[in-house]
């Protein structure tokens, strides 16, 4: 991570960074090390950590409350790091929603509620969930992109970034 951050600094690049922290790396020692990086590289407005359990997020926030944390929110809780919106929307230990639809989850009302409560919402495109059998994983994910953009989503995570960029640039969405 340090080499990557040094290279960004050298090139004077400041892209938004989403750091996926796997469950087995969610301990106090890891959080202390990450907090050092956040301070050293001033990542507070440029990065966030996602895929945490509630307990891990609470621990991390105690170490450095300024580090932004995103929870994965989905229609099904099949892992301890994936949460149901109704269960966590009032939790104060996370700042950003990382919405992940596995079958049918995204609605305008849901995205608006998430944005009203948490402010920033990123969404996974159905194409990312091909291995999980999303019904729009191969055909139709562009309609999901169109909806998410119309609902003012803050970002879309996709395995098809060139197609998404082209669709946005050509205003075909």
């Amino acid at each position: 991570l340090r080499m990557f951050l040094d290279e960004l600094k050298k090139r004077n690049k400041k892209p938004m960074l989403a750091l996926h922290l796997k469950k087995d790396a969610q301990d106090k020692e890891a959080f202390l090390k990450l907090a050092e990086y956040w301070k050293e590289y001033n990542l507070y407005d440029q990065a966030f950590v996602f895929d945490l359990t509630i307990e891990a997020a609470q621990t991390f926030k105690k170490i450095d409350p300024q580090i932004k944390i995103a929870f994965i929110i989905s229609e099904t809780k099949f892992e301890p790091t994936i949460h149901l919106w109704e269960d966590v929307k009032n939790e104060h230990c996370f700042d950003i929603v990382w919405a992940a639809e596995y079958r049918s989850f995204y609605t305008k009302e849901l995205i608006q509620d998430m944005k009203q409560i948490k402010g920033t919402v990123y969404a996974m495109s159905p194409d990312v969930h091909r291995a999980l059998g999303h019904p729009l994983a191969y055909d139709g994910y562009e309609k999901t992109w169109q909806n998410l953009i119309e609902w003012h989503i803050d970002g879309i995570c996709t395995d098809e970034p060139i197609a998404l960029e082209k669709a946005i640039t050509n205003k075909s969405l």
Side-chain angles (χ1 to χ4, degrees):
L1 181 58
R2 178 177 295 285
M3 288 172 52
F4 176 72
L5 294 172
D6 283 342
E7 188 63 27
L8 287 177
K9 188 176 182 179
K10 185 172 98 177
R11 294 179 183 204
N12 199 27
K13 301 283 184 183
K14 292 194 174 222
M16 178 55 81
L17 304 173
L19 184 64
H20 187 181
L21 194 59
K22 297 289 190 176
K23 187 175 182 312
D24 60 354
Q26 296 180 21
D27 58 38
K28 190 172 183 177
E29 183 180 322
F31 298 149
L32 289 168
K33 188 64 167 171
L34 286 172
E36 287 178 27
Y37 287 137
W38 250 254
K39 288 178 185 140
E40 181 179 345
Y41 293 92
N42 193 23
L43 298 173
Y44 294 101
D45 293 326
Q46 175 186 348
F48 64 91
V49 176
F50 74 100
D51 203 17
L52 277 68
T53 64
I54 292 173
E55 297 78 17
Q58 291 168 338
T59 300
F60 205 2
K61 282 291 187 183
K62 286 179 186 171
I63 291 169
D64 190 334
Q66 294 179 2
I67 293 175
K68 292 181 181 81
I69 295 173
F71 272 3
I72 296 178
I73 309 293
S74 188
E75 71 266 36
T76 305
K77 182 175 176 53
F78 58 89
E79 294 284 340
T81 58
I82 297 175
H83 307 280
L84 302 176
W85 179 239
E86 290 303 316
D87 292 349
V88 298
K89 69 181 182 180
N90 295 316
E91 286 285 341
H92 298 289
C93 59
F94 78 106
D95 315 283
I96 299 168
V97 171
W98 185 273
E101 176 181 86
Y102 293 97
R103 294 287 179 267
S104 178
F105 181 55
Y106 300 148
T107 66
K108 181 178 183 177
E109 294 76 21
L110 176 67
I111 299 299
Q112 287 175 338
D113 190 42
M114 290 173 167
K115 287 188 71 62
Q116 181 179 1
I117 293 172
K118 290 298 177 180
T120 303
V121 180
Y122 297 105
M124 299 289 288
S125 174
D127 67 277
V128 175
H129 295 130
R130 288 180 177 139
L132 299 173
H134 192 292
L136 301 176
Y138 293 96
D139 186 34
Y141 55 84
E142 296 91 345
K143 177 61 176 157
T144 301
W145 294 350
Q146 180 180 2
N147 288 339
L148 292 169
I149 291 166
E150 287 175 6
W151 302 337
H152 305 286
I153 202 76
D154 295 287
I156 298 172
C157 178
T158 179
D159 284 342
E160 305 292 342
I162 294 169
L164 177 59
E165 182 179 38
K166 184 178 177 184
I168 292 169
T169 302
N170 293 338
K171 298 194 186 338
S172 64
L173 294 181

